[in-house]
Amino acid sequence: MIIFSINNSHDLAQTIAKKLKAKYAKLVVDDFPDKELYLRYPVNVSNKAIVLVESFQPVPDWSLYTVFFAARTARDLGAKKIILVAPYLAFMRQDKRFNPGEAVTSKIMAELLNYSIDHIITIDTHLHRYNSLRDVFNIPAKNLTANSLIADYIKKTIKNPVIVGPDSESYQWAEQIASEINAPCTVLEKTRFSSRKVAVKIRDSLDFANRAVVIVDDIISTGHTVVEAAKAVKKLGTKTIIVIGVHGLLIENAVSRLKQADVDKIITTNTIKSSTNVIDVSSILAKELLKCKLG
Ligand code: R5P
């Protein structure tokens, strides 16, 4: 098995390779003067199982495009198996046509990967209207979760936590994490008006005043969702608010927006490169790769 990183995730790919005692290399990715893609495998992949590690950030379209070219090139060079590790898989939130004429990009992204990849592994991908990755992929596809790693982190570092999910979809993180550490949990109600405008309501009020509130979500993008959740719990007398996101996209000044909302700490996993990363997901990815058939 040879592990390659493409545009990002170089550190994560290297750590996984070390854990598996596998060879690691960075793909050579550049552009020609007219901006066409240039891509080259720096080692021989003929007859090898190869793993492409690429998080679909900070430019998801570019990641998808380069993964597709990298996979097709590997096939052309005789690789016998192509596995994609996409710690953060973008496009999954566009899981229906919300307005007439829109592209359901999750389906199209999956079509490209179904055609070019043999197996895909991701972490806490956004499953809302899809029940599982099988609804979009027809290749073996595994959605791992960082829940236990997050639960461990909370257990070791936060005293007297109450776990809060900011919207109905977040129950899959909030409830499991809370049950692993035996903490109380509540899930809030979110109304989304646009990409940058949400409102959040508390459904059932727990003892927020005497506990450290830990808001957990899969994606922190602009941060508006967790900011509104933080404001809502703050009104009930909470003193400490910690936000934990699996995927810290943290775009458009999300970090300062969260700080302005009196969030004490922002913690993310290293599925995407960010200064907020504290929780390392390399162990669950390495373990899953060990289970993959390589032939
Ligand atoms: C959507 O439902 C997701 O689970 C996140 O809550 C959402 O993507 C966060 O986006 P933002 O940080 O821009 O509010």
Coordinates of all heavy atoms in Angstrom, one line a residue, residues 88-157:
Y88 N -12.7 14.9 5.3 CA -13.9 15.8 5.1 C -14.4 15.6 3.7 O -13.6 16.0 2.8 CB -13.6 17.2 5.5 CG -14.8 18.1 5.1 CD1 -16.0 18.0 5.8 CD2 -14.7 19.0 4.1 CE1 -17.1 18.8 5.4 CE2 -15.8 19.8 3.7 CZ -17.0 19.7 4.4 OH -18.1 20.5 4.0
L89 N -15.6 15.1 3.5 CA -16.2 15.0 2.2 C -17.2 16.1 2.0 O -18.2 16.1 2.7 CB -16.8 13.6 2.1 CG -17.4 13.2 0.8 CD1 -16.3 13.1 -0.3 CD2 -18.2 11.9 0.9
A90 N -16.9 17.0 1.1 CA -17.8 18.1 0.8 C -19.0 17.7 -0.1 O -19.1 16.5 -0.5 CB -17.1 19.3 0.2
F91 N -19.8 18.6 -0.4 CA -21.0 18.4 -1.3 C -22.2 17.7 -0.6 O -23.3 17.7 -1.2 CB -20.7 17.7 -2.6 CG -19.6 18.4 -3.4 CD1 -18.3 17.9 -3.4 CD2 -19.9 19.5 -4.2 CE1 -17.3 18.6 -4.1 CE2 -18.9 20.2 -4.9 CZ -17.6 19.7 -4.9
M92 N -22.0 17.1 0.5 CA -23.1 16.2 1.1 C -24.3 17.0 1.6 O -25.3 16.5 1.8 CB -22.5 15.3 2.1 CG -21.5 14.3 1.6 SD -22.3 13.1 0.5 CE -23.2 12.1 1.6
R93 N -24.1 18.3 1.8 CA -25.2 19.1 2.3 C -26.2 19.4 1.2 O -27.4 19.7 1.5 CB -24.7 20.4 3.0 CG -24.1 20.1 4.4 CD -23.6 21.3 5.1 NE -22.4 21.9 4.4 CZ -21.8 23.0 4.7 NH1 -22.3 23.7 5.7 NH2 -20.7 23.4 4.1
Q94 N -25.7 19.4 0.0 CA -26.7 19.6 -1.2 C -27.2 18.3 -1.5 O -26.8 17.6 -2.5 CB -25.9 20.3 -2.3 CG -26.8 20.9 -3.4 CD -27.6 22.1 -3.0 OE1 -27.3 22.8 -2.0 NE2 -28.7 22.4 -3.7
D95 N -28.2 17.8 -0.7 CA -28.7 16.5 -0.8 C -30.1 16.4 -1.4 O -30.8 15.4 -1.5 CB -28.7 15.7 0.5 CG -29.4 16.5 1.6 OD1 -30.0 17.6 1.3 OD2 -29.3 16.0 2.8
K96 N -30.6 17.6 -1.9 CA -31.8 17.7 -2.6 C -31.8 19.0 -3.4 O -31.0 19.8 -3.2 CB -33.0 17.5 -1.7 CG -33.4 18.8 -0.9 CD -34.8 18.7 -0.4 CE -35.3 20.0 0.1 NZ -36.6 20.1 0.6
R97 N -32.8 19.1 -4.4 CA -32.9 20.3 -5.1 C -33.8 21.2 -4.2 O -35.0 21.0 -4.1 CB -33.6 20.0 -6.4 CG -33.2 20.8 -7.6 CD -33.9 20.5 -8.9 NE -33.9 19.1 -9.3 CZ -32.8 18.5 -9.9 NH1 -31.7 19.2 -10.0 NH2 -32.8 17.2 -10.2
F98 N -33.1 22.2 -3.6 CA -33.9 23.0 -2.7 C -34.7 24.1 -3.5 O -35.7 24.5 -3.0 CB -32.9 23.8 -1.7 CG -32.2 22.8 -0.7 CD1 -31.0 22.3 -1.1 CD2 -32.8 22.5 0.5 CE1 -30.4 21.4 -0.2 CE2 -32.2 21.6 1.3 CZ -31.0 21.1 1.0
N99 N -34.2 24.5 -4.6 CA -34.9 25.4 -5.5 C -34.9 24.9 -6.9 O -33.9 24.1 -7.3 CB -34.2 26.8 -5.5 CG -34.2 27.4 -4.1 OD1 -35.3 27.8 -3.6 ND2 -33.1 27.5 -3.4
P100 N -35.9 25.2 -7.7 CA -35.9 24.6 -9.1 C -34.7 24.9 -9.8 O -34.1 26.0 -9.7 CB -37.1 25.4 -9.7 CG -37.9 26.0 -8.6 CD -37.0 26.1 -7.4
G101 N -34.2 23.9 -10.5 CA -33.0 24.1 -11.4 C -31.7 23.9 -10.8 O -30.7 23.9 -11.4
E102 N -31.7 23.7 -9.5 CA -30.4 23.5 -8.8 C -29.7 22.2 -9.0 O -30.4 21.2 -9.3 CB -30.6 23.6 -7.2 CG -30.7 25.0 -6.7 CD -30.9 25.1 -5.2 OE1 -31.0 24.0 -4.6 OE2 -31.0 26.2 -4.7
A103 N -28.4 22.2 -8.9 CA -27.7 20.9 -9.1 C -27.7 20.2 -7.7 O -27.5 20.8 -6.7 CB -26.2 21.2 -9.5
V104 N -28.0 18.9 -7.7 CA -27.8 18.1 -6.5 C -26.4 17.6 -6.5 O -26.0 16.5 -7.0 CB -28.8 17.0 -6.4 CG1 -28.7 16.2 -5.1 CG2 -30.3 17.5 -6.6
T105 N -25.5 18.5 -6.0 CA -24.0 18.2 -6.2 C -23.5 17.0 -5.5 O -22.6 16.4 -6.0 CB -23.2 19.5 -5.8 OG1 -23.6 19.8 -4.5 CG2 -23.4 20.6 -6.7
S106 N -24.2 16.6 -4.4 CA -23.7 15.3 -3.8 C -23.8 14.1 -4.7 O -22.9 13.3 -4.7 CB -24.6 15.1 -2.5 OG -26.0 15.1 -2.8
K107 N -24.9 14.1 -5.5 CA -25.0 12.9 -6.4 C -24.0 13.0 -7.5 O -23.5 12.0 -7.9 CB -26.4 13.0 -7.1 CG -27.6 12.7 -6.2 CD -28.0 11.3 -6.3 CE -29.2 11.1 -5.4 NZ -29.4 9.7 -5.0
I108 N -23.7 14.2 -8.0 CA -22.8 14.3 -9.1 C -21.3 14.0 -8.7 O -20.6 13.3 -9.3 CB -22.9 15.7 -9.8 CG1 -24.3 15.9 -10.3 CG2 -21.9 15.8 -10.9 CD1 -24.7 17.4 -10.6
M109 N -21.0 14.5 -7.4 CA -19.7 14.2 -6.8 C -19.6 12.7 -6.7 O -18.5 12.1 -7.1 CB -19.7 14.9 -5.5 CG -18.5 14.6 -4.6 SD -18.7 13.1 -3.6 CE -20.0 13.5 -2.5
A110 N -20.6 12.0 -6.2 CA -20.6 10.6 -6.1 C -20.4 9.9 -7.4 O -19.7 8.9 -7.5 CB -21.8 10.1 -5.3
E111 N -21.1 10.4 -8.4 CA -21.0 9.7 -9.8 C -19.5 9.7 -10.2 O -19.0 8.7 -10.7 CB -21.8 10.5 -10.8 CG -23.3 10.1 -10.8 CD -24.1 11.1 -11.7 OE1 -23.5 11.8 -12.5 OE2 -25.3 11.1 -11.4
L112 N -18.8 10.9 -10.0 CA -17.4 11.0 -10.4 C -16.5 10.0 -9.7 O -15.6 9.4 -10.2 CB -16.9 12.4 -10.2 CG -17.3 13.4 -11.3 CD1 -16.8 14.8 -10.9 CD2 -16.7 13.0 -12.7
L113 N -16.8 9.9 -8.4 CA -16.0 9.0 -7.5 C -16.4 7.5 -7.8 O -15.5 6.7 -7.8 CB -16.1 9.4 -6.0 CG -15.6 10.8 -5.7 CD1 -15.7 11.0 -4.2 CD2 -14.2 11.0 -6.1
N114 N -17.6 7.2 -8.0 CA -18.0 5.9 -8.3 C -17.3 5.4 -9.5 O -16.9 4.2 -9.6 CB -19.5 5.8 -8.6 CG -20.4 5.8 -7.4 OD1 -19.9 5.4 -6.3 ND2 -21.6 6.2 -7.5
Y115 N -17.1 6.3 -10.5 CA -16.4 5.9 -11.7 C -14.9 5.7 -11.6 O -14.3 4.9 -12.3 CB -16.8 7.0 -12.7 CG -16.1 6.9 -14.1 CD1 -16.4 5.9 -15.0 CD2 -15.1 7.8 -14.4 CE1 -15.8 5.8 -16.2 CE2 -14.4 7.7 -15.6 CZ -14.8 6.6 -16.5 OH -14.2 6.5 -17.7
S116 N -14.3 6.5 -10.6 CA -12.8 6.5 -10.7 C -12.2 5.9 -9.5 O -11.0 5.6 -9.5 CB -12.4 8.0 -10.7 OG -13.0 8.8 -9.7
I117 N -12.9 5.6 -8.4 CA -12.3 5.1 -7.1 C -12.9 3.7 -6.8 O -14.0 3.4 -7.2 CB -12.7 6.1 -6.0 CG1 -12.2 7.5 -6.2 CG2 -12.4 5.6 -4.6 CD1 -10.8 7.7 -5.9
D118 N -12.1 2.9 -6.1 CA -12.7 1.6 -5.7 C -13.3 1.5 -4.4 O -14.1 0.6 -4.1 CB -11.5 0.5 -5.8 CG -10.9 0.4 -7.1 OD1 -11.7 0.3 -8.1 OD2 -9.7 0.5 -7.2
H119 N -12.9 2.4 -3.5 CA -13.4 2.4 -2.1 C -13.2 3.7 -1.5 O -12.2 4.4 -1.8 CB -12.4 1.4 -1.4 CG -12.8 0.9 0.0 ND1 -12.9 -0.4 0.3 CD2 -13.2 1.6 1.0 CE1 -13.3 -0.5 1.6 NE2 -13.5 0.8 2.0
I120 N -14.1 4.2 -0.7 CA -14.0 5.5 -0.1 C -14.2 5.4 1.4 O -15.1 4.7 1.9 CB -14.9 6.6 -0.8 CG1 -14.8 7.9 0.0 CG2 -16.4 6.1 -0.8 CD1 -15.5 9.0 -0.8
I121 N -13.4 6.2 2.1 CA -13.5 6.2 3.6 C -13.6 7.7 4.0 O -12.8 8.5 3.5 CB -12.2 5.6 4.3 CG1 -12.1 4.1 3.9 CG2 -12.3 5.7 5.8 CD1 -10.8 3.5 4.3
T122 N -14.6 8.0 4.8 CA -14.7 9.4 5.3 C -15.0 9.4 6.7 O -15.2 8.3 7.3 CB -15.7 10.2 4.4 OG1 -15.6 11.6 4.8 CG2 -17.1 9.7 4.5
I123 N -15.2 10.6 7.3 CA -15.5 10.7 8.7 C -16.7 11.7 8.9 O -16.7 12.8 8.3 CB -14.3 11.3 9.5 CG1 -13.1 10.3 9.4 CG2 -14.7 11.5 11.0 CD1 -11.8 10.8 10.1
D124 N -17.7 11.2 9.7 CA -18.8 12.1 10.0 C -19.2 12.9 8.8 O -19.3 14.2 8.9 CB -18.5 12.9 11.2 CG -18.4 12.1 12.5 OD1 -19.4 11.3 12.7 OD2 -17.4 12.2 13.2
T125 N -19.6 12.3 7.8 CA -20.0 13.0 6.6 C -21.5 13.5 6.9 O -22.2 12.9 7.7 CB -19.9 12.2 5.3 OG1 -20.1 13.1 4.2 CG2 -21.0 11.1 5.3
H126 N -21.9 14.5 6.2 CA -23.2 15.1 6.5 C -24.3 14.2 6.0 O -24.7 14.3 4.8 CB -23.3 16.5 6.0 CG -24.5 17.2 6.5 ND1 -24.5 17.8 7.8 CD2 -25.7 17.4 6.0 CE1 -25.7 18.3 8.0 NE2 -26.4 18.1 6.9
L127 N -24.9 13.4 6.8 CA -26.0 12.5 6.4 C -27.3 13.1 7.0 O -27.5 13.0 8.2 CB -25.8 11.1 6.8 CG -24.7 10.3 6.2 CD1 -24.5 9.0 6.8 CD2 -24.8 10.2 4.7
H128 N -28.1 13.7 6.2 CA -29.3 14.3 6.7 C -30.5 13.6 5.9 O -31.2 12.7 6.4 CB -29.3 15.8 6.5 CG -30.5 16.5 7.0 ND1 -30.9 17.7 6.6 CD2 -31.5 16.1 7.9 CE1 -32.0 18.1 7.2 NE2 -32.4 17.1 8.0
R129 N -30.7 14.0 4.7 CA -31.7 13.3 3.9 C -31.3 12.0 3.4 O -32.1 11.1 3.0 CB -32.2 14.2 2.8 CG -33.3 15.2 3.2 CD -33.5 16.4 2.3 NE -32.5 17.3 2.6 CZ -32.7 18.4 3.4 NH1 -33.9 18.7 3.8 NH2 -31.7 19.2 3.7
Y130 N -30.0 11.7 3.3 CA -29.5 10.4 3.0 C -29.4 9.6 4.3 O -28.9 10.2 5.3 CB -28.1 10.4 2.3 CG -28.1 11.2 1.0 CD1 -27.1 12.2 0.8 CD2 -29.0 10.9 0.0 CE1 -27.0 12.8 -0.4 CE2 -28.9 11.6 -1.2 CZ -27.9 12.5 -1.4 OH -27.8 13.2 -2.6
N131 N -29.7 8.3 4.3 CA -29.6 7.5 5.5 C -28.2 7.0 5.6 O -27.6 6.9 6.7 CB -30.5 6.3 5.4 CG -31.9 6.7 5.6 OD1 -32.2 7.6 6.4 ND2 -32.8 6.1 4.8
S132 N -27.5 6.7 4.5 CA -26.2 6.2 4.6 C -25.5 6.5 3.3 O -26.1 7.0 2.3 CB -26.1 4.7 4.8 OG -26.3 4.0 3.6
L133 N -24.2 6.3 3.2 CA -23.4 6.6 2.0 C -23.9 5.7 0.8 O -23.6 6.0 -0.3 CB -21.9 6.4 2.3 CG -21.2 7.5 3.1 CD1 -19.8 7.2 3.3 CD2 -21.3 8.8 2.4
R134 N -24.5 4.6 1.2 CA -25.0 3.7 0.1 C -26.1 4.4 -0.7 O -26.3 4.0 -1.8 CB -25.6 2.4 0.8 CG -24.8 1.2 0.5 CD -25.5 0.0 1.0 NE -25.5 -0.1 2.5 CZ -24.5 -0.7 3.1 NH1 -23.5 -1.3 2.4 NH2 -24.5 -0.8 4.4
D135 N -26.7 5.4 -0.2 CA -27.7 6.1 -1.0 C -27.1 6.9 -2.1 O -27.8 7.4 -3.0 CB -28.5 7.1 -0.1 CG -29.4 6.4 0.9 OD1 -29.5 5.2 0.8 OD2 -29.9 7.1 1.9
V136 N -25.8 7.2 -2.0 CA -25.1 7.9 -3.1 C -24.0 7.2 -3.8 O -23.7 7.4 -5.0 CB -24.6 9.3 -2.6 CG1 -25.6 10.4 -2.6 CG2 -23.9 9.2 -1.3
F137 N -23.3 6.3 -3.1 CA -22.2 5.6 -3.7 C -22.5 4.2 -4.0 O -23.3 3.5 -3.3 CB -21.0 5.6 -2.7 CG -20.3 6.9 -2.5 CD1 -20.6 7.7 -1.4 CD2 -19.5 7.4 -3.5 CE1 -20.0 8.9 -1.3 CE2 -18.9 8.6 -3.4 CZ -19.1 9.4 -2.2
N138 N -22.0 3.7 -5.1 CA -22.2 2.2 -5.4 C -20.9 1.5 -5.3 O -20.8 0.3 -5.6 CB -22.9 2.0 -6.7 CG -22.2 2.6 -7.9 OD1 -20.9 2.7 -7.8 ND2 -22.9 3.0 -8.9
I139 N -19.8 2.1 -4.7 CA -18.6 1.5 -4.4 C -18.6 1.3 -2.9 O -19.4 2.0 -2.2 CB -17.4 2.3 -4.8 CG1 -17.5 3.8 -4.3 CG2 -17.1 2.3 -6.3 CD1 -16.3 4.6 -4.5
P140 N -17.8 0.4 -2.3 CA -17.7 0.3 -0.8 C -17.4 1.7 -0.3 O -16.4 2.4 -0.7 CB -16.6 -0.7 -0.6 CG -16.5 -1.5 -1.8 CD -16.9 -0.6 -3.0
A141 N -18.2 2.1 0.7 CA -18.0 3.5 1.2 C -18.2 3.4 2.8 O -19.2 2.9 3.2 CB -19.0 4.4 0.6
K142 N -17.3 3.9 3.5 CA -17.4 3.8 5.0 C -17.4 5.2 5.6 O -16.5 6.0 5.3 CB -16.1 3.0 5.5 CG -16.1 2.8 7.0 CD -17.1 1.7 7.4 CE -17.1 1.6 8.9 NZ -18.1 0.6 9.3
N143 N -18.4 5.4 6.4 CA -18.5 6.7 7.1 C -18.1 6.4 8.6 O -18.9 5.9 9.4 CB -19.9 7.2 7.1 CG -20.0 8.5 7.7 OD1 -19.1 9.3 7.8 ND2 -21.2 8.8 8.3
L144 N -16.9 6.8 9.0 CA -16.4 6.6 10.3 C -16.9 7.7 11.2 O -17.4 8.7 10.7 CB -14.9 6.6 10.4 CG -14.2 5.6 9.5 CD1 -12.7 5.8 9.5 CD2 -14.4 4.2 10.1
T145 N -16.8 7.6 12.5 CA -17.2 8.7 13.4 C -16.1 9.0 14.4 O -15.4 8.1 14.8 CB -18.5 8.5 14.1 OG1 -18.8 9.6 14.9 CG2 -18.5 7.2 14.9
A146 N -16.0 10.3 14.6 CA -15.0 10.8 15.6 C -15.6 10.9 17.0 O -15.0 11.4 17.9 CB -14.4 12.1 15.2
N147 N -16.9 10.4 17.1 CA -17.6 10.6 18.4 C -16.8 10.1 19.6 O -16.8 10.8 20.7 CB -18.9 9.8 18.4 CG -20.0 10.6 17.7 OD1 -19.8 11.8 17.4 ND2 -21.1 10.0 17.3
S148 N -16.2 8.9 19.5 CA -15.5 8.3 20.7 C -14.3 9.2 21.0 O -13.9 9.4 22.2 CB -15.1 6.9 20.5 OG -16.2 6.1 20.4
L149 N -13.6 9.7 20.0 CA -12.4 10.5 20.2 C -12.8 11.8 20.9 O -12.2 12.3 21.8 CB -11.7 10.8 18.9 CG -11.2 9.7 18.1 CD1 -10.7 10.1 16.7 CD2 -10.0 9.0 18.9
I150 N -14.0 12.4 20.5 CA -14.5 13.6 21.1 C -14.9 13.3 22.5 O -14.6 14.1 23.5 CB -15.7 14.2 20.3 CG1 -15.1 14.6 18.9 CG2 -16.3 15.4 21.0 CD1 -16.2 15.1 17.9
A151 N -15.6 12.2 22.7 CA -16.1 11.9 24.1 C -14.9 11.7 25.0 O -14.9 12.2 26.1 CB -16.9 10.5 24.0
D152 N -13.8 11.1 24.5 CA -12.6 10.9 25.4 C -12.0 12.3 25.7 O -11.6 12.5 26.9 CB -11.5 10.2 24.5 CG -11.5 8.8 24.7 OD1 -12.4 8.3 25.4 OD2 -10.6 8.1 24.2
Y153 N -12.0 13.2 24.7 CA -11.4 14.5 25.0 C -12.2 15.2 26.1 O -11.7 15.8 27.0 CB -11.4 15.3 23.7 CG -11.0 16.8 23.9 CD1 -9.7 17.1 24.0 CD2 -12.0 17.7 24.1 CE1 -9.3 18.4 24.3 CE2 -11.7 19.1 24.4 CZ -10.3 19.4 24.5 OH -10.0 20.7 24.8
I154 N -13.5 15.2 25.9 CA -14.4 15.9 26.9 C -14.2 15.3 28.3 O -14.0 16.0 29.3 CB -15.9 15.8 26.5 CG1 -16.1 16.5 25.2 CG2 -16.8 16.4 27.6 CD1 -17.5 16.3 24.6
K155 N -14.1 13.9 28.4 CA -14.0 13.2 29.6 C -12.7 13.7 30.3 O -12.6 13.9 31.5 CB -13.9 11.7 29.4 CG -14.4 10.9 30.5 CD -14.5 9.5 30.0 CE -14.8 8.5 31.2 NZ -15.0 7.2 30.7
K156 N -11.6 13.8 29.5 CA -10.3 14.1 30.1 C -10.1 15.6 30.5 O -9.4 15.9 31.3 CB -9.2 13.7 29.1 CG -9.0 12.2 29.0 CD -7.7 11.9 28.2 CE -7.7 10.4 28.0 NZ -7.5 10.1 26.6
T157 N -10.9 16.5 29.8 CA -10.5 17.9 30.0 C -11.7 18.8 30.5 O -11.4 19.9 30.9 CB -10.0 18.5 28.6 OG1 -11.1 18.3 27.7 CG2 -8.8 17.8 28.1

